[in-house]
Amino acid sequence: MDGHAIEIDAFSYLFLESIEEIQTNGLRLVVVEGIAGPETVFNEPGGIQHVGRPIEPAAHGGKFEITWEKYVAYSVRNESYSRNGDNDELLSGKRVREFSRSDFLDYVSRATFASKEYPGPLRHVEVACENHIIDVVAVEEPRIRSLSTTVRPN
């Protein structure tokens, strides 16, 4: 993966801002850095109180576009119900992860006729956000570019 993937991996929190189909069978994600807000008291039913920090997109944080010109398959999961596959082998990454082997790759192999012969060796990249997990199987690695327009405060 490129240097922008390393930048995204350094974020403590990541949010999916948008997802859209581009061209024919292309995919575009926009992700933004998240931050922990000020300490807040949360009231639950029954009078139970918790102290925590809400996680929210950062006003001046990093913003990136991740695109695949062509994909074989993609999936968006609610992060609350997501789990690691029994056969997943992480190759690299924390927020932008690449798997050398995964249950999702196995599924795509069973559900399609895509193979290493056609369209070519398949790559599984996963983008792990606070509320969404996006899995993409494609031949090419994604293109990642910064959309940040402001200078981040120190």
Side-chain angles (χ1 to χ4, degrees):
M1 294 283 171
D2 74 7
H4 289 310
I6 294 168
E7 287 181 66
I8 296 169
D9 278 350
F11 295 163
S12 295
Y13 308 102
L14 185 67
F15 286 90
L16 176 65
E17 183 176 277
S18 66
I19 182 170
E20 66 178 316
E21 293 269 338
I22 55 173
Q23 303 160 3
T24 301
N25 299 114
L27 185 66
R28 177 181 185 259
L29 310 177
V30 175
V31 295
V32 295
E33 181 178 11
I35 58 168
E39 196 168 272
T40 304
V41 175
F42 298 94
N43 294 308
E44 289 187 21
I48 299 170
Q49 290 187 333
H50 296 282
V51 177
R53 296 178 179 274
I55 308 301
E56 51 201 21
H60 300 288
K63 184 174 188 174
F64 291 88
E65 174 187 72
I66 306 171
T67 58
W68 288 263
E69 286 188 34
K70 296 282 183 199
Y71 64 82
V72 173
Y74 74 91
S75 170
V76 180
R77 293 179 282 160
N78 177 332
E79 180 272 338
S80 296
Y81 299 98
S82 180
R83 69 171 181 83
N84 293 332
D86 296 333
N87 298 312
D88 291 0
E89 291 179 11
L90 183 65
L91 190 59
S92 64
K94 176 184 165 195
R95 293 282 175 190
V96 179
R97 307 168 179 158
E98 184 167 5
F99 292 90
S100 57
R101 177 183 159 105
S102 69
D103 285 352
F104 190 63
L105 270 172
D106 292 346
Y107 162 75
V108 170
S109 293
R110 287 190 312 273
T112 71
F113 60 82
S115 69
K116 63 182 177 183
E117 288 79 29
Y118 178 79
L122 301 177
R123 305 172 73 124
H124 174 195
V125 174
E126 181 176 89
V127 181
C129 301
E130 294 311 306
N131 299 316
H132 304 88
I133 305 293
I134 303 95
D135 293 285
V136 181
V137 170
V139 173
E140 302 294 326
E141 73 177 41
R143 250 190 3 242
I144 304 173
R145 72 180 180 104
S146 175
L147 299 177
S148 299
T149 57
T150 58
V151 177
R152 296 173 65 182
N154 292 331

